[in-house]
Amino acid sequence: MPDLKIALIGGSGIYTYSIAGETEELVVETRYGKAQLQRGKTGDREIYFLARHGTGHTKPPHLVNYRANIAALKKLGVEAVLSTAAVGSLHRHILPGSWVVIDQFIDFTKSRPVTFYDGSDGRVVHVDFTEPYCPELRRALLRAGEQIRRPLLDGGCYVCTEGPRFETPAEIKAFNRLGGDVVGMTNVPEVVLAREAGLCYAALALVTNYGAGISEKMLTHEEVLEMMEESREELNRLLMAAVEEISAVRSCRCSLPGRYWPEAE
Ligand code: HPA
């Protein structure tokens, strides 16, 4: 089997990933800025770990340099990206502690660079998003869940807000009626940029709380981090299993938009 380079992007509360064996830190320069990563190997898979918010959680969702992160992965030759994201639930029946292999998103972000194809080079590129998340990577996550006996919800719509504030109860009600299942602040533009770069990408949404107003409780970032900390060991096992499940031969269509990627990058 050919070597496959896989990236793991850790969201809130996930700042390191236990890759067996030796790891090295690296900084990759891109035209959008720098990305800091950890590199390791499991079997014939090269694993790159990237902490989305920085290793000390210093970057709020609207200031994460998503373009530098994805451009760095592209530069390193990564083909598949598994990401994790803390989310709130938009439904009573999706309980805190649930893990959702999301399959759709709705974008309510406002101020972030959301594309590599911003028109600055005179090109107009529209990328298809009928199937926003890689079906093969989604399957790899679901199979990994079966392997480690961790129930996962297969499919769910992620509503991405601008943040960094949490939502109002009226917003949570509206997102629910619009067809959302979970709400977070980071999956857009990450998923968009990954597809634009022709990378396979899937995301696991970890439900840390009910959306505002669904339960009486006030929301705190600390509570989100505590829930993530409790999930860390199991999440690590799930990701290790998922990495093994990814086929080195891609039969999905995720790489197609990569034909627009500038040669010079
Ligand atoms: N809203 C937005 N982002 C989140 C939440 C939430 O309730 N929980 C974890 N990330």
Side-chain angles (χ1 to χ4, degrees):
M1 234 188 323
D3 279 7
L4 181 68
K5 295 183 180 181
I6 298 169
L8 305 172
I9 301 182
S12 292
I14 308 292
Y15 309 119
T16 56
Y17 171 72
S18 317
I19 307 170
E22 277 189 21
T23 61
E24 63 172 318
E25 301 285 328
L26 66 162
V27 174
V28 179
E29 303 251 6
T30 75
R31 58 185 291 195
Y32 305 100
K34 289 182 195 162
Q36 200 184 336
L37 303 102
Q38 194 190 344
R39 172 168 41 203
K41 212 163 161 103
T42 53
D44 61 352
R45 268 102 218 263
E46 208 161 286
I47 311 290
Y48 292 88
F49 176 81
L50 199 157
R52 181 184 296 121
H53 298 278
T55 43
H57 202 116
T58 48
K59 290 179 206 137
H62 61 294
L63 295 182
V64 169
N65 194 340
Y66 299 95
R67 289 197 295 187
N69 289 350
I70 298 294
L73 299 183
K74 184 79 179 168
K75 198 166 179 177
L76 289 164
V78 165
E79 288 185 86
V81 184
L82 296 175
S83 92
T84 71
V87 294
S89 167
L90 296 174
H91 300 277
R92 273 195 189 281
H93 68 268
I94 303 183
L95 306 181
S98 308
W99 292 3
V100 189
V101 182
I102 52 179
D103 65 348
Q104 285 292 325
F105 70 79
I106 302 176
D107 179 13
F108 278 102
T109 63
K110 295 178 188 146
S111 73
R112 318 168 178 189
V114 289
T115 179
F116 287 117
Y117 303 116
D118 56 10
S120 55
D121 60 359
R123 288 185 311 154
V124 178
V125 176
H126 298 290
V127 172
D128 176 67
F129 269 85
T130 307
E131 191 167 48
Y133 299 90
C134 173
E136 290 189 10
L137 291 194
R138 289 190 67 254
R139 265 196 300 277
L141 283 170
L142 291 166
R143 278 200 299 261
E146 281 166 21
Q147 246 187 56
I148 71 156
R149 296 174 195 279
R150 202 318 160 173
L152 301 177
L153 296 177
D154 179 0
C157 178
Y158 179 111
V159 176
C160 194
T161 68
E162 183 64 15
R165 67 170 174 84
F166 287 119
E167 301 71 38
T168 64
E171 286 169 327
I172 293 295
K173 208 184 282 179
F175 294 156
N176 172 316
R177 289 186 183 163
L178 281 176
D181 295 307
V182 294
V183 58
M185 304 176 192
T186 55
N187 200 245
V188 181
E190 197 171 89
V191 56
V192 176
L193 297 168
R195 176 61 58 79
E196 285 187 344
L199 305 180
C200 289
Y201 178 97
L204 183 68
L206 301 121
V207 181
T208 54
N209 56 277
Y210 278 124
I214 294 184
S215 85
E216 307 292 295
K217 274 177 59 187
M218 304 281 270
L219 298 182
T220 65
H221 184 50
E222 287 66 36
E223 164 195 352
V224 169
L225 295 183
E226 270 167 35
M227 272 297 271
M228 292 301 293
E229 183 54 36
E230 282 172 27
S231 309
R232 218 145 67 88
E233 192 269 332
E234 196 176 22
L235 181 61
N236 213 85
R237 278 194 293 128
L238 181 94
L239 292 174
M240 296 271 259
V243 159
E244 296 295 324
E245 288 287 341
I246 298 173
S247 162
V249 183
R250 302 158 89 194
S251 54
C252 56
R253 298 160 56 85
C254 305
S255 65
L256 292 180
R259 66 185 180 275
Y260 303 118
W261 192 259
E263 287 295 315
E265 283 283 324

